[in-house]
Amino acid sequence: MTTPVSRRKALAMIVSGIGAFWTMAAATVSGVFLIGPLRKAGAGRRVELGKVTSFDSEFRLVHLAFHVSDGWHTKEEKIQVYVRLNEQSELDILSAKCSHLGCAVNWNGEGREFVCPCHAGRYGEDGAVKDGPPPAPLERLEASIEAETAYLNLA
Amino acid sequence: MMIETVKNWLENRTGLPSWMHRFFNEPIPASTGWRNTLGSLAGALLLIQLLTGFLLALYYVPHPEAAYESTAYVENQVPAGWLVRALHYWGASFIIVALFLHSARVFYTGTYRNPRELTWVVGILLFGTILALAFTGQYLPYNQMGYWAASVGIEIGSSAPIVGPYIGTLLRGGDVLGALTLSRFYALHIVLLPAILIALVLIHLYLLRRHGPARTPRDPSDDVVPFFPMQVLRDAIVITAGLGMLAGASVVLKTPYIAPIDLTDTTYVPRPEWYFLAHFELLKLAPPSLYQVATFWFPGAVITFLVALPWLDRSPTSAPSARKGIIGIGSVSLIIFLALTAYGFTTGGHEEASEADTLLADDSVDPAQARLAAGRAVYDEQMCATCHRINGDGETRGPDLSHVGIRLQEDYLREWLRDPEQFAPDTIMPSVMVEDEALLDALVAYLMSLKPEDSGD
């Protein structure tokens, strides 16, 4: 025969157990739902850059536009890159986005440098900082070549 | 002891521990039992609605171009999104069932009487708020059912004398149902109505605690027991049964697929949710001369009767034998209500009969031809042409499908349609959601038939 106190304790445990079960169930479903945005991070993307033969030893600005799915929404994203064929016949691809505050840099063919029109940041033709406020070189991007066509690999 | 110290600290600052102690040890009549658990069940279901509603609001966008898309995104792309949406969808029906049972219990036991008149009136307001939430929520996914429900519902509201037309315009945000209505229903559904609901629940609970559960006429004793443990355990068991059924319904039935708004689709048969079916049938029965009676005066009279019930019922005790008149009126009304609802279910078309279903079932044509025609109807219903093009018809956001029949293998195509993400994680192509497998087969058959004319097949 159990005492009334232990019966009360036992029932308290049962009720708490039921409460804990439903709380856990709700938390699990909510948790899985909420971590959705973490799931698909880092999926790579390929964007066609153009025929390799269309580039030469001088930097050329290429405007790229591609569709990115942003949740239920599909938006057009645009990036600009400078592309040239170097002495090893490989593509040098530099982002035109200044590492300082993101303005689009201009290529100055005579001075052999990239100049940012916003805060006078200057980069050499390898993208390294020559002068001004930029904290890092211009971002270098990789391309893969298939059937004479270059594709840009974006993160 | 550590716990004691924390408890004392909290007690001195807030008084919470002793409040909890009083809450759980509240003396209630010894005859309180299973019939008194239905309000708790409704409360638990409400908490599920608040939680799932918040989760859905993380993704939902109240814009005509985005409402359906963002809902489909939750359904198809967000992990457990289909489950959260189904819980919210079925939860609404479960709450309404729980409230029906709860109100019926209160009605038959006569516990709305003095001194609990206001508990009853607040309960009626709560029921009305829940129906308003169901009504506004149904419009948000911007599909056929929600559109027509809102259209008819606002029309019914507009039939009220004098102020009716103004109410209609205010609800719509203008003369037409559309973008402004969507914002309004969204604001009502996620801000105003939940706030009113929570306030009413708190008042309802305060009044319940103030008067305690009513003693039944069969229990004239003064015996009391504490709320905890037995009544809390009964509540927990009933809540577990209710939530278990809700989870089961959501997993098995999911949220029914309803096509996006297409005002040109005359094959769509608008039907209200089951809890409005009785009124729906009543509207069909009423002759034109009684239009306003059916839309406004009769429902208004029923609501007035329910609100006035505690004052109309002057019987000396709450025993059913002393309340034969009231119980008779209530029972007959309930039977009529249930009969009309049941009749509403049988009058066909409650399940959306799509053009594709009809074509597929048409045995007057060759089955292979019927399948292709049904497949084309699925293609139209799913609005594939908003992204794809066939022989010059449609948009070019997605691949041209004119010759898809020679480009893809049938099995691959079927799996792709079922879940494009398994092949292309970043694709904007949504999963094709159809009611049954035969329709997906029809769509595949139709797409596989798309070949260049000279391919000889």
Side-chain angles (χ1 to χ4, degrees), chain B residues 55-105:
Chain B
L55 293 174
L56 293 174
L58 292 176
Y59 287 94
Y60 176 76
V61 180
H63 182 291
E65 304 288 322
Y68 190 88
E69 293 264 313
S70 57
T71 308
Y73 182 77
V74 172
E75 180 81 29
N76 298 320
Q77 313 282 328
V78 178
W82 64 271
L83 179 58
V84 170
R85 188 170 167 233
L87 286 168
H88 201 70
Y89 174 84
W90 289 108
S93 282
F94 271 66
I95 287 180
I96 291 169
V97 171
L99 290 183
F100 265 124
L101 296 174
H102 181 50
S103 322
R105 196 279 296 166

Side-chain angles (χ1 to χ4, degrees), chain A residues 5-73:
Chain A
V5 173
S6 77
R7 178 174 173 274
R8 200 177 147 86
K9 278 243 162 82
L11 290 173
M13 281 175 70
I14 292 172
V15 169
S16 310
I18 294 173
F21 171 78
W22 286 113
T23 309
M24 287 296 293
T28 306
V29 173
S30 307
V32 171
F33 186 93
L34 287 168
I35 60 163
L38 301 178
R39 195 185 54 149
K40 281 195 275 177
R45 173 178 309 281
R46 267 158 57 101
V47 182
E48 187 178 325
L49 199 57
K51 288 275 179 212
V52 177
T53 50
S54 67
F55 298 107
D56 56 30
S57 61
E58 189 61 354
F59 276 113
R60 180 158 72 81
L61 184 62
V62 180
H63 297 267
L64 294 172
F66 48 94
H67 287 97
V68 180
S69 61
D70 174 10
W72 52 270
H73 180 63

Side-chain angles (χ1 to χ4, degrees), chain B residues 34-369:
Chain B
W34 293 101
R35 68 178 181 283
N36 300 80
T37 58
L38 295 162
S40 304
L41 173 61
L45 290 165
L46 278 181
L47 290 178
I48 298 290
Q49 291 304 87
L50 291 178
L51 175 66
T52 51
F54 162 72
L55 293 174
L56 293 174
L58 292 176
Y59 287 94
Y60 176 76
V61 180
H63 182 291
E65 304 288 322
Y68 190 88
E69 293 264 313
S70 57
T71 308
Y73 182 77
V74 172
E75 180 81 29
N76 298 320
Q77 313 282 328
V78 178
W82 64 271
L83 179 58
V84 170
R85 188 170 167 233
L87 286 168
H88 201 70
Y89 174 84
W90 289 108
S93 282
F94 271 66
I95 287 180
I96 291 169
V97 171
L99 290 183
F100 265 124
L101 296 174
H102 181 50
S103 322
R105 196 279 296 166
V106 172
F107 175 77
Y108 280 105
T109 54
T111 52
Y112 49 79
R113 294 148 47 86
N114 179 356
R116 297 183 181 79
E117 299 97 324
L118 290 180
T119 320
W120 168 262
V121 171
V122 170
I124 303 271
L125 293 174
L126 264 172
F127 208 144
T129 309
I130 290 289
L131 290 178
L133 277 159
F135 176 66
T136 49
Q138 200 186 6
Y139 185 61
L140 301 183
Y142 226 51
N143 58 30
Q144 292 279 61
M145 188 169 187
Y147 179 87
W148 290 109
S151 174
V152 174
I154 291 176
E155 208 57 47
I156 288 173
S158 303
S159 74
I162 307 165
V163 293
Y166 301 105
I167 289 173
T169 306
L170 286 177
L171 278 175
R172 277 188 296 257
D175 292 331
V176 290
L177 201 61
L180 293 174
T181 323
L182 193 55
S183 300
R184 271 156 198 259
F185 275 35
Y186 180 66
L188 290 173
H189 189 77
I190 77 159
V191 182
L192 185 66
L193 292 171
I196 291 174
L197 184 77
I198 290 166
L200 289 174
V201 167
L202 293 177
I203 297 171
H204 200 66
L205 286 178
Y206 167 78
L207 291 172
L208 165 70
R209 284 277 155 175
R210 184 170 168 86
H211 301 294
R215 228 167 251 289
T216 59
R218 284 191 214 144
D219 172 30
S221 71
D222 288 328
D223 296 351
V224 292
V225 292
F227 175 50
F228 182 85
M230 283 318 290
Q231 191 58 26
V232 175
L233 184 63
R234 286 190 197 101
D235 279 342
I237 290 170
V238 169
I239 288 170
T240 296
L243 295 188
M245 283 192 277
L246 172 61
S250 303
V251 169
V252 174
L253 302 171
K254 306 207 166 63
T255 311
Y257 168 77
I258 297 166
I261 296 176
D262 178 5
L263 302 184
T264 62
D265 179 6
T266 53
T267 61
Y268 180 73
V269 184
R271 283 285 160 141
E273 280 291 356
W274 63 268
Y275 35 86
F276 290 128
L277 271 178
H279 189 222
F280 173 78
E281 289 302 327
L282 187 74
L283 291 172
K284 288 205 294 194
L285 292 173
S289 56
L290 293 178
Y291 170 77
Q292 205 184 33
V293 173
T295 58
F296 179 78
W297 294 108
F298 181 73
V302 171
I303 294 166
T304 309
F305 173 79
L306 287 172
V307 169
L309 186 61
W311 293 278
L312 294 174
D313 182 355
R314 313 304 300 187
S315 29
T317 79
S318 60
S321 56
R323 300 164 47 238
K324 282 187 184 130
I326 289 282
I327 289 197
I329 295 172
S331 300
V332 169
S333 310
L334 189 62
I335 288 166
I336 293 173
F337 177 84
L338 293 176
L340 282 172
T341 304
Y343 181 63
F345 271 110
T346 63
T347 52
H350 187 69
E351 292 298 321
E352 177 193 352
S354 72
E355 191 188 349
D357 282 318
T358 320
L359 287 166
L360 203 56
D362 185 356
D363 45 20
S364 69
V365 294
D366 173 46
Q369 286 303 317

